[in-house]
Amino acid sequence: MTVPKDLLLHLIRPEEFRRVEAMALPLNERLRIVADMCRANALAAVKRAGSGHLGSSFSSMDIVVRLYYHELNVRRVGVADPNRDIYFSSKGHDVPALYAVLYSLGIIEEEKFLMLRRFGGLEGHPDVSTPGIEANSGSLGMGISKARGMSWAKRRSGQGGRVFVMTGDGEWQEGQNYEALQGALQAGITNLTVVVDHNKVQSDKLIHHIVDLRDLTAKIAAFGWRVVRCDGNDQEQLERGLIDAAQGGGPVVVIADTIKGAGVSFMEHPGAMNRPGGTGLYPWHAGAPKDDDYRAAYDEILGRVNARLVAAGQAPAALTQVPPVAPHNPVYTLEGEPVSLAMPVGAVSKGTSESVADVYGQTLLKAMERRPDLIVLDADLAADCRVRAIEERFPERFIECGIAEQDMVSTAGGLARLGLLPVVNSFASFLASRANEQIYNNASEKTRIIYALHYAGVIPAGPGKSHQSIRDISLLAALPNMVILQPCCAQETAMIVDYAVDEARENVALRLVIGPSPRRIALPEGYRLEPGRGCILAEGNAATIVAYGPVLLHEALLAGELLAKRGTSVRVVNMPWLNVVDREWLAATLLPGKAVLIVEDHAPTGGLADRIVAALTADGRRLEYPVHRAGVEGYPAFGTPPEALKFHGLDATGLAEKILRFL
Amino acid sequence: MTVPKDLLLHLIRPEEFRRVEAMALPLNERLRIVADMCRANALAAVKRAGSGHLGSSFSSMDIVVRLYYHELNVRRVGVADPNRDIYFSSKGHDVPALYAVLYSLGIIEEEKFLMLRRFGGLEGHPDVSTPGIEANSGSLGMGISKARGMSWAKRRSGQGGRVFVMTGDGEWQEGQNYEALQGALQAGITNLTVVVDHNKVQSDKLIHHIVDLRDLTAKIAAFGWRVVRCDGNDQEQLERGLIDAAQGGGPVVVIADTIKGAGVSFMEHPGAMNRPGGTGLYPWHAGAPKDDDYRAAYDEILGRVNARLVAAGQAPAALTQVPPVAPHNPVYTLEGEPVSLAMPVGAVSKGTSESVADVYGQTLLKAMERRPDLIVLDADLAADCRVRAIEERFPERFIECGIAEQDMVSTAGGLARLGLLPVVNSFASFLASRANEQIYNNASEKTRIIYALHYAGVIPAGPGKSHQSIRDISLLAALPNMVILQPCCAQETAMIVDYAVDEARENVALRLVIGPSPRRIALPEGYRLEPGRGCILAEGNAATIVAYGPVLLHEALLAGELLAKRGTSVRVVNMPWLNVVDREWLAATLLPGKAVLIVEDHAPTGGLADRIVAALTADGRRLEYPVHRAGVEGYPAFGTPPEALKFHGLDATGLAEKILRFL
């Protein structure tokens, strides 16, 4: 994630924006220059962060710039005035564009802007704790409903100011949007403008290849809303579009036709998808560009900015060099003292080449070959969920549902009722919560469905709380016929996928970390998957740590290695069964009478610890072990993995010191 | 719930239906007679059950009869054949119509048909364990998605048979329907017919007074589906409509214009809503008619049946008298021996005049007067959620969202962001699960919202598992800034509503029983609401029972009274805080060293017991009490309250015997 020294990053500071604003140029020409200057800053921030969503930040940039530099009253009245105009993005992942605009206006300070996706900086998706951010978003489809609530509140409270909400276009696959259209009209909402950043591309494919929206104008009009359509990357057309929208009153949707990646030739759709040697997929949705791509993109944007400035007889944009990101050198400490371990420095953040998600995809692909009843469902996360290879190899048994988790889950229910075995894929934070009632409804039919909960847990922490999943165990554990399993390594992942497909009699929720494993965890010789039973990964005699998954078992093992330096040895137990506990096994596995620390990649409530303590105290049993818990308290912190784990006391140091405290 | 002896109920048996089928009459005339005979049987079943949804059973009856008697191949191939045609209702509450049709065909046996909403009989909403039922439904908006999964599965498996799904019309307020339309088209589904029972009325109001659907034909067509429209209570028009639907291929929606309550003049919309002395509300959505109304309705239907038969030169329909429902006389027993208690026999099912839900509505109404920032939101359950008086008194602070829980919750989020205090109302089973991610998103903004979770817990058990809510604590307890509270009586309800409005600093989920309180629970003198602290309701020295809510605290107190007859006394503790436990209070309240039984109106996982045990064992503490748990194991049983409670061992007898076992 560090930027090599030979790549210098630069910022265009707010005073440069003020200089452009003061130029005797037509408004739209100034906005074009400002938008490109913001593109340059957003690009630098994303490169520095090592990740971010450039494609839709660039497609939406001209709109966001026009709103803040011309349409909204926020600069005049401030971001806290009850009469302010409100803007927020429902999709949220385009927030680098908004951050760049708020930075250019001095609303977000430079120090924060340079800390995108870093602890104490700016969250990967919007959070209201950031100045100028009006709503938390990142999970799709909620924005119009929330905006109509804001519009209703302004009317009720007699406050001035208008409400603007931006949506993506793929986002219109979420049904809540249509609920919101109906409800807003019924509530007589007038002071609401929805702007659709219609860039035609979802994560990496064209919308009509995922789930076609057909004639979006006709659909929205059929719900009784006025629709205005314009080019969202052309300031003259945007000007006209927003004027049309403002006239005529009533709630209105402005469908702004944009280009994903707009402003950087090789990032622009369709070229970016159809480039020679390309995969046919859009490569710039998320992640940071490589150094050469960064240089080319930055030079192209800046070249356009300076050409406009020079043409106007003005000096080129002044660049301020940004200090490089300090390389991440985790130093393991114990009670403040550094401790050197065998574990290579930096391994925590760099990870190994092992990925449980990859193994999930590979094992499922093998299962598809032997099990013709397996059907894989996806909600526009095929690459992230590692089912792209299945989509390509078995298109006739792959159902792309688009961004519509509820429809996906109920569809799976229908498949299961007719004897097929569906495997439902999405991120845990979306699937377990948004489709929770549909999962319950399916389960109540006593069919079998496999739910693959990807991106489970607190890491990676860059995207922020809309994506980090720390409640999914609690959301599913109370289902009578659902087992929840999380593998800690490649070998266990293969075991668990095969168990879910071939052996399980109930629904199975597979909890999967999305990132690389910090270490390759070796399972004991002859370890087999048995309901409610885990295994010992490291021996010790002072206390037992019970954990699950590659991330926190790594920290637990590291904690044991730290403690060993102090002559304290702890037993580390892997427990992949998160809502099923075999008490006999547990009693035989815990150190008699010794303390137990249960480490959760989950909130402290509703996770494994509740089930272990319930098993140990079942039917009036005395608790023979002092039990301690560590989990993600409060909302998950964002930042690098070490930053987030340290904040929650879940890093090796935090766990080791917790153990020293209670020993 | 018992039918007086002077009201005799009758059934028309399957052989009478066979007789009609054999008559030399035109198909549509036979179907008209069969439909009315099914109406008579559905009416008798609902009257005998004491509740059921007649309005939409009657509006949909002609359609269901036409499907099973003419359109579907089910009678020929049977309900288990892979090549069978599939029909199910997405709304589910119209299932008395389907049961009547399946009974008339001999698919459901008479014994079951007479046990509607009774343990061991037929669930109040469809369940696949009943012969001929193809899908579980009852929570709205999932049906088209599930049906498209079935249609996809038939194509994939090369199975014959068509797929029909019926939806309500108010149900189209749920966004999932629009996800399903998009997804089915993308998946190339052709073998799917959606029939909309378009009766224009929701729970008790016109759809366009709740949330207008506008031109449903145009909306659905804008999603690319073919739409056929016909009169759904006219067999000639239905015949034409279904033929049009079958021709042209592709997925099609048949919008069947129907009359809610069709077939009984005084139950028909619009007359039923605008009757002299009426409330302007539709009175026949749910519940059983009074004896006089029953007689009038039955006579009208039967009169029409017999007029048609006589006109055809046939004998009138033969009626079979139905044994009256045995009056419910709960006898309290202990280890098989009857025990007489002071508690009046039958009180459990009849209840008192106390209703915590009523008190919620009254207290909230008072709060509305002093708190202008309070805004009440509803999802078409205003009467059930006891906010109708608020709707009428404060229409400017009441937002009717229709059947769109996600939109309602996100709208509340927008209101809260602008400083208002929203009170969101729905049934716990819908609100806590379907809108779970929206609740999380709102909570992450650190605003304050009150969620009123009505119909929480296992009672009433008649509607079945789609409505009984036994997971809502687990679904919300892991939220960092959410407290979950459930009152046990009128006095505590008022305290809790006022606390939620005036004192709480976080989000509050109010868990409310919807039925009458089985007893008026008296709180101790000077009891005040303090976070994490409950109160002792009955003294004892052998063990402690901890419970919450009017239903299970009543059973706990009864259990104590039963045990007292054996010379065993138990302390009964009311604990209204379901995810916050004050350990000091608990330690001072439990009997030192004595057993504790925690009784959950919830699944055993994720409820109060987990939180109490966590508190007692926190930070390595030894557990000083043998802890036992009682909760709703598996899926909630349906039936009368005593039947369901007894099944789960949660009735007084079950609890008392559990205590005797571990003492």
Side-chain angles (χ1 to χ4, degrees), chain B residues 105-164:
Chain B
L105 295 171
I107 295 170
I108 289 179
E109 57 207 16
E110 184 165 310
E111 185 189 22
K112 287 250 181 203
F113 184 63
L114 290 175
M115 293 280 282
L116 175 61
R117 293 179 172 241
R118 292 299 302 271
F119 185 75
L122 299 176
E123 203 153 341
H125 288 81
D127 185 90
V128 293
S129 61
T130 301
I133 297 298
E134 296 281 7
N136 288 14
S137 57
S139 179
L140 301 171
M142 304 180 189
I144 304 177
S145 301
K146 192 172 281 189
R148 78 121 158 171
M150 292 173 169
S151 178
W152 194 98
K154 278 184 173 293
R155 183 180 63 189
R156 165 72 196 157
S157 312
Q159 294 166 349
R162 296 168 297 165
V163 180
F164 292 83

Side-chain angles (χ1 to χ4, degrees), chain B residues 330-341 545 555-570 597 646 649-663:
Chain B
V331 177
Y332 308 118
T333 65
L334 206 48
E335 295 170 330
E337 301 297 314
V339 180
S340 72
L341 294 182
I545 304 181
E555 298 298 333
L557 290 164
L558 267 183
E561 291 155 20
L562 285 173
L563 290 167
K565 299 278 181 175
R566 290 293 177 87
T568 302
S569 76
V570 294
L597 174 62
K646 182 179 172 52
L650 294 172
D651 61 333
T653 299
L655 297 176
E657 289 177 344
K658 196 169 177 48
I659 287 170
L660 287 177
R661 274 198 302 280
F662 65 63
L663 275 185

Side-chain angles (χ1 to χ4, degrees), chain A residues 86 128 133-136 139 142 145-146 148-150 152-154 156 172-176 178-180 182 185-186 208-214 219 222-224 372 375 396-397 399 401 404 406-407 410-411 414-415 417-418 420 429-430 433-434 436-438 440-446 465 471 474-475 477-481 605 610-611 613-614 617 619-629 634-636, chain B residues 86 128 133-136 139 142 145-146 148-150 152-154 156 172-176 178-180 182 185-186 208-214 219 222-224 372 375 396-397 399 401 404 406-407 410-411 414-415 417-418 420 429-430 433-434 436-438 440-446 465 471 474-475 477-481 605 610-611 613-614 617 619-629 634-636:
Chain A
I86 288 178
V128 294
I133 297 298
E134 297 280 6
N136 288 14
S139 180
M142 304 179 190
S145 300
K146 191 171 282 188
R148 79 122 158 168
M150 292 174 171
W152 194 98
K154 277 184 173 293
R156 166 70 195 158
W172 282 81
Q173 289 158 354
E174 286 283 7
Q176 187 179 345
Y178 303 98
E179 296 179 356
Q182 294 173 155
L185 219 57
Q186 190 78 17
H208 69 264
H209 287 160
I210 298 293
V211 169
D212 195 355
L213 295 175
R214 309 180 66 85
K219 273 161 80 172
F223 279 75
I375 311 296
E396 75 287 358
R397 285 195 278 147
I399 303 179
C401 300
Q406 300 193 333
D407 176 56
S410 294
T411 297
L415 299 172
R417 274 287 298 153
L418 294 202
L420 299 172
S429 56
F430 310 146
S433 60
R434 186 173 297 215
N436 189 278
E437 194 184 16
Q438 287 77 7
Y440 172 82
N441 171 268
N442 289 346
S444 75
E445 293 177 338
K446 313 290 171 68
K465 64 180 74 64
R471 299 189 308 127
S474 68
L475 294 175
L479 280 164
N481 47 343
T605 296
D610 283 347
R611 301 280 57 77
V613 173
T617 60
D619 306 321
R621 286 184 180 73
R622 299 286 175 178
L623 184 61
E624 289 156 9
Y625 320 82
V627 173
H628 300 263
R629 301 169 176 225
Y635 288 93
Chain B
I86 288 178
V128 293
I133 297 298
E134 296 281 7
N136 288 14
S139 179
M142 304 180 189
S145 301
K146 192 172 281 189
R148 78 121 158 171
M150 292 173 169
W152 194 98
K154 278 184 173 293
R156 165 72 196 157
W172 282 82
Q173 289 158 354
E174 285 284 6
Q176 187 178 346
Y178 303 97
E179 296 179 354
Q182 293 173 155
L185 219 57
Q186 190 79 17
H208 68 265
H209 287 160
I210 298 293
V211 169
D212 195 354
L213 295 174
R214 309 178 67 86
K219 272 162 81 172
F223 279 76
I375 310 297
E396 75 288 359
R397 285 195 277 146
I399 303 179
C401 300
Q406 300 188 65
D407 177 55
S410 294
T411 298
L415 299 173
R417 275 286 300 155
L418 295 202
L420 299 172
S429 57
F430 310 146
S433 60
R434 186 174 297 216
N436 190 276
E437 195 184 14
Q438 288 77 9
Y440 171 82
N441 172 267
N442 290 347
S444 75
E445 292 177 337
K446 315 289 170 67
K465 62 180 75 64
R471 298 189 308 128
S474 70
L475 295 176
L479 280 164
N481 47 343
T605 296
D610 283 347
R611 300 280 56 76
V613 173
T617 60
D619 305 321
R621 285 185 181 73
R622 298 285 173 180
L623 184 61
E624 288 156 7
Y625 321 82
V627 173
H628 300 263
R629 303 170 178 225
Y635 288 93

Side-chain angles (χ1 to χ4, degrees), chain A residues 354-376:
Chain A
E354 176 182 278
S355 157
V356 295
D358 287 346
V359 176
Y360 159 82
Q362 293 151 9
T363 312
L364 189 60
L365 181 63
K366 284 202 204 79
M368 295 286 288
E369 288 164 3
R370 71 176 182 276
R371 286 287 300 259
D373 58 334
L374 271 181
I375 311 296
V376 171

